């Protein structure tokens, strides 16, 4: 048999090891995910036990008789305290509407700050938070009717803006008067709506995809299926690629070019000039009928009516030459050679 | 297995079905099911590829750049097979069309012809034969490959054979078959014949004329049955690519061309040619070479990245050539000759006459005449340095009684053959 394509048994033999490895990896991933439990834990999440989470403050509020409702759409805010962890993810007009309906609103680091300060412990300096005393504050600085902690906590009407959410986190809650400040801000009413907006909330209106009829959507999906099939058709090669056994071949002039570049880099203009002079002498001697190695200067001077000293200087000088002089010398040697060949 | 364009087309028709009639996941799965069903039907009904048998016949060697034909016979023991076949060769084998449609009846055979025009010298081997057998719907196909070995040897192109008629003409002038035979054109006494007007009076044999009623002249013929040993250097220096009329070729290929022209000429002149290819060991060896045998021996040779072992080569030549012969070494004039070959010359020159033929590089000559800016003048200096080195080596070799032919790639074969003829005319073989 001359067939070399793998049959079913060989395909199975070759594929079972990778398949087994794939199954083991999937199984391990599933087990690890299950053992680690719920991996939820964004910043200021009342379910999160991490340092940046806010389980502690939510628990304190509940012990103090405040009902904490975690939500991601905040539709029932009437008469409650609204706590928005990421106000910048909500459309501004919706935020205005929500805060108008809520009895009190606390926003963490909303847009509209007039500056920024470092996070540190500050004294309140206002009646609003006098009870809480010193607390961790920082982040954005705002302007409003009541300004506390160097303007990082500002209240205008029922809306309170705080420059940074540090006081609500598990990690910072027990420092200074953080807990007192947090409870006084969030525990203003019996009910607390803990609103954690996600990116999708920004665009509450119907998206473009909702407006497209189903026929188009599924048609496009089917088009994708067709594209995959066409790709499979084009991808299958008719036999393997045949490599070309290439012989060792290098450009013969490469070493000469390398030497030229070495001359140039080391600015060996005097040496190059000597080589060019020697070559000119070697070429001219046979033209004049002289044996190789004999100095052709006298004969050249006789034929071209140039002074002997000048010809000799051109062909024999050992004076150092600079780059500019080298280019000039090459042309002068050419001129001399032409004269001799003509004359 | 393999899909065809029809599978994609069927899915494309499915876009209309899904879009207009069933705009849901259900519709997509229905269409996918239809396609998969068709594929399955095709795969089951397509003829098997595994049980096909193949045999090859046709050309086993061809001159590089010329056309030859290799036949592939497909025998199909199963049901009728329709599809396409690809006979894969390496790119330099120059297959004109390696894909052909295939239709073999059940139990029948088909002979397919593939035309090859090798673009590079050497052994070109066939890779795999792949067959794609289409199902009745033409949506999917079974595909499989078979190993059907075959080798076509691409012989050296021997471009310089166009010089051969002119060279043979010159040879005949030497040979006494032409009336214009002159003294000095050969050194072996051939025969006496009567004087005709135009003969050189210096060749009149007075002693024979005295015995005869006519004036008799002596004729001479060139020496015959001499031995010419061609040594081809396949070491690193022969790997250098040199640009000629035919494009960039390694020095090795030009040397081969020159060797072929020389051996064709020498065998016409009734000299015996021995061929030896040498790098650090004997790569090929053809004693009493005829042109076809030599061409076959040369074809698979490639340059190796090793240093030429001059000592080994010289002792090999001395071992083979029992009587005085002309040793033609096709190499490159590089400074390494000075350390390698030069110390060995006395032992070689004592018994043989050595002729070194070297391919010079037109790029270096072009660089040597570069002027104008600094870069070209430095390049000119470097090139002149190389040329001076070659002149020095030539002079050095000449002092040891070695003949040197250093020519551009397009001129080397002719120059070498001319030098051979003038050596022959001077009776120096």
């Amino acid at each position: 048999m001359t067939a070399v394509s793998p049959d079913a048994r060989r395909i199975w033999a070759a594929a079972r090891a990778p398949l087994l490895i794939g199954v083991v990896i999937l199984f391990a991933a599933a087990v690890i995910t299950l053992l680690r439990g719920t991996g939820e834990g964004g910043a200021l999440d009342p379910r999160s036990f991490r340092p940046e989470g806010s389980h502690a403050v939510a628990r304190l509020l509940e012990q103090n008789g405040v009902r904490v409702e975690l939500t991601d759409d905040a539709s029932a805010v009437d008469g409650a305290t609204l706590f928005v962890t990421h106000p910048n993810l909500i459309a501004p007009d919706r935020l205005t509407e929500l805060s108008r309906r809520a009895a009190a609103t606390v926003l963490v680091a909303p847009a509209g700050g007039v500056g920024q300060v470092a996070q540190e412990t500050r004294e309140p300096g206002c009646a609003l938070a006098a009870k809480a005393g010193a607390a961790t504050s920082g982040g954005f600085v705002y302007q409003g009717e009541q300004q506390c902690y160097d303007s990082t906590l500002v209240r205008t009407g029922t809306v309170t803006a705080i420059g940074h959410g540090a006081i609500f986190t598990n990690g910072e809650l027990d420092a200074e008067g953080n807990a007192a400040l947090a409870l006084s801000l969030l525990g203003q009413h019996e009910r607390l709506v803990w609103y954690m907006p996600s990116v999708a909330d920004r665009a509450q209106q119907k998206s473009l995809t909702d407006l497209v009829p189903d026929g188009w959507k599924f048609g496009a999906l089917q088009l994708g299926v067709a594209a995959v099939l066409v790709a499979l058709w084009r991808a299958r090669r008719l036999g393997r690629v045949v490599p070309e056994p290439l012989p060792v071949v290098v450009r013969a002039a490469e070493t000469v070019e390398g030497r030229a570049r070495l001359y140039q880099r080391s600015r060996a203009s005097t040496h190059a000039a000597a080589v060019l002079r020697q070559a000119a002498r070697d070429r001219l001697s046979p033209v004049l009928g002289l044996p190789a190695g004999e100095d052709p200067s006298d004969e050249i001077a006789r034929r071209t009516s140039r002074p002997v000293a000048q010809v000799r200087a051109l062909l024999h000088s050992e004076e150092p030459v600079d780059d500019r002089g080298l280019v000039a010398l090459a042309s002068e040697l050419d001129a001399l050679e032409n004269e001799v060949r003509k004359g | 297995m393999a899909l065809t364009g029809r599978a994609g087309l069927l899915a494309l028709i499915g876009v209309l079905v899904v879009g207009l009639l069933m705009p849901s996941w259900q519709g997509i799965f229905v269409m996918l099911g239809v396609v998969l069903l068709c594929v399955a039907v095709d795969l089951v009904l397509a003829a098997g590829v595994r049980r096909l048998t193949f045999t090859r016949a046709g050309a086993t060697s061809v001159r590089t750049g010329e056309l030859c034909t290799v036949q592939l016979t497909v025998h199909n023991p199963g049901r009728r097979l329709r599809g396409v076949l690809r006979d894969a060769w390496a790119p330099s084998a120059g297959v004109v069309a390696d894909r052909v449609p295939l239709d073999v009846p059940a139990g029948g055979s088909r002979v397919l012809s593939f035309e090859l025009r090798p673009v590079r010298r050497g052994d070109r081997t066939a890779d795999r034969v792949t067959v794609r057998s289409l199902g009745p719907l033409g949506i999917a196909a079974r595909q499989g490959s078979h190993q059907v070995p075959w080798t076509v040897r691409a012989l050296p192109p021997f471009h310089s054979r166009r010089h051969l008629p002119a060279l043979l003409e010159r040879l005949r002038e030497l040979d006494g078959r032409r009336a214009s035979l002159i003294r000095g054109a050969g050194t072996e006494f051939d025969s006496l014949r009567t004087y005709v007007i135009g003969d050189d009076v210096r060749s009149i044999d007075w002693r024979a004329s005295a015995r005869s009623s006519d004036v008799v002249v002596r004729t001479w013929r060139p020496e015959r049955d001499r031995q010419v040993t061609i040594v081809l250097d396949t070491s690193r220096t022969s790997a250098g690519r040199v640009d000629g009329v035919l494009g960039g070729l390694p020095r090795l290929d030009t040397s081969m061309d020159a060797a072929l022209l020389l051996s064709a000429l020498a065998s016409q002149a009734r000299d015996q040619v021995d061929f030896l290819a040498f790098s650090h060991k004997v790569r090929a060896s053809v004693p009493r070479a005829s042109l076809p045998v030599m061409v076959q021996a040369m074809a698979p040779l490639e340059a190796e990245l090793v240093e030429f072992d001059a000592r080994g080569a010289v002792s090999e030549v001395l071992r083979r050539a029992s009587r005085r012969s002309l040793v033609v070494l096709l190499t490159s004039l590089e400074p390494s000759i000075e350390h390698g070959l030069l110390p060995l010359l006395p032992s070689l020159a004592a018994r043989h006459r050595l002729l070194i033929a070297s391919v010079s590089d037109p790029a270096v000559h072009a660089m040597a005449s570069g002027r104008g800016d600094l870069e070209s003048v430095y390049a000119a200096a470097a090139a002149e340095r190389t040329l001076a080195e070659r002149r020095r080596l030539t002079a050095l070799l000449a002092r040891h009684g070695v003949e040197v032919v250093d020519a551009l790639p397009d001129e080397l074969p002719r120059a070498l053959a001319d030098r051979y003829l003038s050596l022959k005319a001077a009776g120096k073989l």
Side-chain angles (χ1 to χ4, degrees):
Chain A
M1 280 307 253
T2 54
V4 286
S5 308
D7 53 13
R9 189 177 304 160
R10 270 159 64 195
I11 291 174
W12 167 241
R16 68 187 162 195
L19 268 179
L20 192 68
I21 292 170
V23 167
V24 167
I25 288 174
L26 279 180
F27 182 73
V31 167
I32 289 169
T33 317
L34 286 178
L35 285 182
R36 275 176 59 182
T38 50
E40 58 197 346
L44 299 180
D45 190 323
R47 292 162 303 187
S48 170
F49 298 94
R50 296 192 183 165
E52 72 272 15
S54 298
H55 184 76
V57 73
R59 184 114 178 88
L60 279 179
L61 286 166
E62 274 169 5
Q63 280 172 0
N64 285 303
V66 179
R67 209 161 73 243
V68 179
E69 290 172 10
L70 179 65
T71 172
D72 57 1
D73 67 348
S75 42
V77 292
D78 301 78
T81 313
L82 174 66
F83 179 46
V84 187
T85 57
H86 300 97
N88 296 340
L89 294 180
I90 313 173
D93 39 352
R94 174 156 168 81
L95 192 61
T96 316
E97 185 226 322
L98 284 175
S99 58
R100 205 176 54 238
R101 278 162 53 197
T105 307
V106 179
L107 307 176
V108 178
V114 292
Q116 258 187 306
V117 292
Q119 194 172 320
E120 59 189 33
T121 306
R122 291 188 176 84
E123 290 300 323
C126 68
L128 173 65
K131 255 194 255 169
T136 312
S137 63
F140 291 101
V141 175
Y142 300 95
Q143 285 177 329
E145 291 165 7
Q146 288 175 279
Q147 306 193 344
C148 308
Y149 300 106
D150 295 343
S151 304
T152 57
L153 179 73
V154 166
R155 175 169 291 173
T156 305
T158 61
V159 179
T160 313
I162 185 161
H164 194 277
I167 60 161
F168 305 110
T169 61
N170 296 335
E172 295 281 334
L173 191 66
D174 58 348
E176 302 290 340
N178 286 359
L181 180 60
L183 287 177
S184 72
L185 286 176
L186 302 182
Q188 297 174 47
H189 301 276
E190 287 211 338
R191 201 157 67 87
L192 172 66
V193 176
W194 195 302
Y195 182 21
M196 296 191 69
S198 59
V199 180
D201 294 354
R202 180 120 204 179
Q204 278 293 320
Q205 67 269 50
K206 255 190 166 179
S207 69
L208 192 66
T209 46
D210 295 335
L211 300 172
V212 176
D214 276 358
W216 285 89
K217 272 195 282 188
F218 286 97
L221 261 173
Q222 177 66 23
L223 201 63
V225 172
V228 168
L229 288 175
V230 169
L232 285 175
W233 162 45
R234 297 311 302 169
R236 181 74 164 123
R237 206 181 273 130
L238 188 56
R240 66 177 179 184
V241 171
V242 187
E244 172 73 23
L246 284 171
V248 187
V249 172
V250 284
R251 277 190 53 231
E254 240 164 44
T255 50
V256 183
E257 282 160 12
R259 175 178 281 155
R261 261 171 236 138
L262 278 181
Y263 279 171
Q264 192 167 3
R265 191 173 306 167
S266 57
R267 306 184 136 254
S269 45
T270 307
H271 178 73
V275 171
L276 287 177
R277 286 184 168 122
Q278 175 71 46
R281 288 203 298 272
D282 286 357
R283 273 198 302 269
L284 284 173
S285 291
V287 172
L288 298 167
L290 295 170
E294 197 163 303
D295 178 23
S297 307
D298 295 333
E299 185 67 22
I300 293 170
R302 209 173 51 74
R303 283 211 192 182
T304 59
S305 65
R306 287 193 189 203
V308 179
Q310 188 210 342
V311 174
R312 190 157 291 162
L314 194 53
L315 286 180
H316 286 279
S317 166
E318 282 171 13
E319 296 276 304
V321 184
D322 61 355
D323 285 349
R324 193 185 300 265
L326 180 67
V327 177
L329 174 74
S331 319
E332 278 174 48
L333 286 172
D334 276 0
L336 181 71
E337 232 182 292
N338 284 338
E339 240 173 276
V340 171
R341 283 178 199 277
K342 251 187 262 168
Chain B
M1 70 161 271
L3 295 178
T4 68
R6 288 191 195 179
L9 204 63
L10 189 62
L12 213 58
I13 294 167
V15 172
L16 295 179
V17 177
V18 170
L20 300 177
L21 304 177
M22 303 169 78
S24 62
W25 283 107
Q26 215 179 350
I28 286 181
F29 284 122
V30 165
M31 275 323 295
L32 204 60
V34 169
V35 173
L36 288 180
L37 188 71
C38 291
V39 167
V41 166
D42 255 5
L43 286 181
V44 169
L45 294 181
V49 171
R50 185 170 299 279
R51 288 169 58 215
L52 297 175
T53 53
F54 297 88
T55 45
R56 280 193 199 269
T60 54
S61 66
V62 63
R63 198 175 274 156
T64 304
E66 291 180 5
L67 210 60
C68 70
T69 309
V70 173
Q71 283 94 28
L72 180 70
T73 310
V74 189
H75 178 69
N76 177 20
R79 64 170 91 96
R80 179 183 175 194
L81 186 150
R82 286 182 314 111
V84 57
L85 178 144
R86 174 182 173 223
D87 188 14
W89 293 71
S92 63
V95 185
V96 177
D98 63 348
R99 280 146 209 260
V100 288
L102 189 65
D103 189 349
V104 194
S109 297
R110 277 281 177 277
V111 180
L112 307 168
S113 285
F114 293 93
E115 292 193 316
L116 273 68
R117 192 192 295 277
V119 293
R120 214 152 52 69
R121 186 177 48 76
D123 283 346
R124 306 273 83 98
T125 52
D127 196 58
R128 291 176 169 184
V129 175
T130 305
V131 177
R132 185 175 284 185
S133 160
L134 287 173
L137 299 173
I139 281 184
R142 292 200 207 176
Q143 181 173 324
S145 298
H146 290 254
Q147 197 100 47
V148 193
W150 191 258
T151 302
V152 172
R153 176 163 287 186
L155 306 173
F158 196 10
H159 294 297
S160 62
R161 64 180 185 277
R162 65 198 154 87
H163 295 308
L164 206 52
L167 289 167
L168 289 177
E169 187 74 6
R170 260 194 77 191
L171 183 69
R172 273 195 290 277
E173 280 173 20
L174 296 180
D175 209 15
R177 286 180 213 164
R178 296 267 300 233
S180 67
L181 179 70
I182 52 163
R183 195 188 162 105
T187 48
E188 285 185 356
F189 174 70
D190 187 21
S191 61
L192 294 171
R193 60 171 171 80
T194 50
Y195 176 86
V196 292
I197 294 168
D199 278 349
D200 189 349
V201 290
R202 284 175 296 178
S203 61
I204 292 172
D205 187 336
W206 295 108
R207 195 178 296 220
S209 304
R211 282 199 295 271
S212 152
S213 56
D214 288 321
V215 181
V216 173
V217 291
R218 289 181 193 181
T219 59
W220 308 82
R221 65 164 195 197
E223 47 199 0
R224 283 185 184 168
D225 301 322
R226 300 299 153 129
Q227 195 172 4
V228 179
T229 306
I230 300 175
V231 183
L232 183 65
D233 170 9
T234 64
S235 70
R236 63 172 179 85
T237 51
S238 61
R241 196 182 73 215
V242 171
D243 292 327
V245 171
L246 303 163
L249 283 176
R251 281 205 174 101
L252 183 66
D253 287 59
T254 308
S255 297
M256 281 182 179
D257 216 32
L260 287 175
L261 185 65
L262 179 61
S263 75
L265 186 62
S267 55
Q268 285 293 317
R270 303 204 202 147
D271 283 333
Q272 184 192 316
V273 179
D274 280 5
F275 173 70
L276 182 69
F278 203 92
S279 56
H280 62 300
K281 58 175 199 288
V282 178
R283 299 281 308 282
S285 157
V286 187
R288 295 169 198 283
S290 65
L291 202 60
V293 180
M294 202 165 137
V295 162
Q296 286 283 348
M298 271 181 184
L301 290 179
E302 294 292 356
E304 287 177 305
L305 288 189
V306 293
E307 191 65 37
F308 183 65
D309 177 13
R311 186 172 294 279
V314 167
S315 61
E316 189 68 28
V317 168
L318 289 177
R319 198 175 63 73
R320 277 154 193 268
S322 47
R323 55 204 175 98
R324 187 168 176 81
S325 64
L326 173 70
V327 178
V328 180
L329 174 60
L330 290 148
T331 182
S332 173
L333 280 178
E334 302 247 333
S336 58
I337 281 189
E338 207 170 339
H339 317 293
L341 189 64
L342 215 57
L344 306 168
L345 278 181
S347 61
L348 191 65
R351 292 180 54 191
H352 305 289
R353 174 169 290 278
L354 183 62
L355 169 60
I356 290 182
S358 161
V359 187
S360 68
D361 190 350
V364 175
H365 290 274
M367 277 167 78
S369 55
R371 294 289 184 272
D373 58 346
L374 191 62
E375 202 175 334
S376 9
V377 173
Y378 273 121
E384 291 287 11
R385 168 83 200 275
T386 309
L387 293 175
E389 184 73 17
R390 286 175 90 100
R391 278 197 298 271
R392 191 180 66 78
L393 281 172
T394 308
L396 202 60
L397 288 166
R399 221 176 296 150
H400 283 79
V402 178
E403 304 268 340
V404 177
V405 179
D406 185 14
L408 296 176
D410 303 321
E411 295 154 10
L412 182 75
R414 181 66 201 253
L416 179 63
D418 282 340
R419 183 66 68 90
Y420 162 78
L421 282 180
S422 46
L423 282 175
K424 198 170 180 61
K428 284 187 177 170
L429 290 189

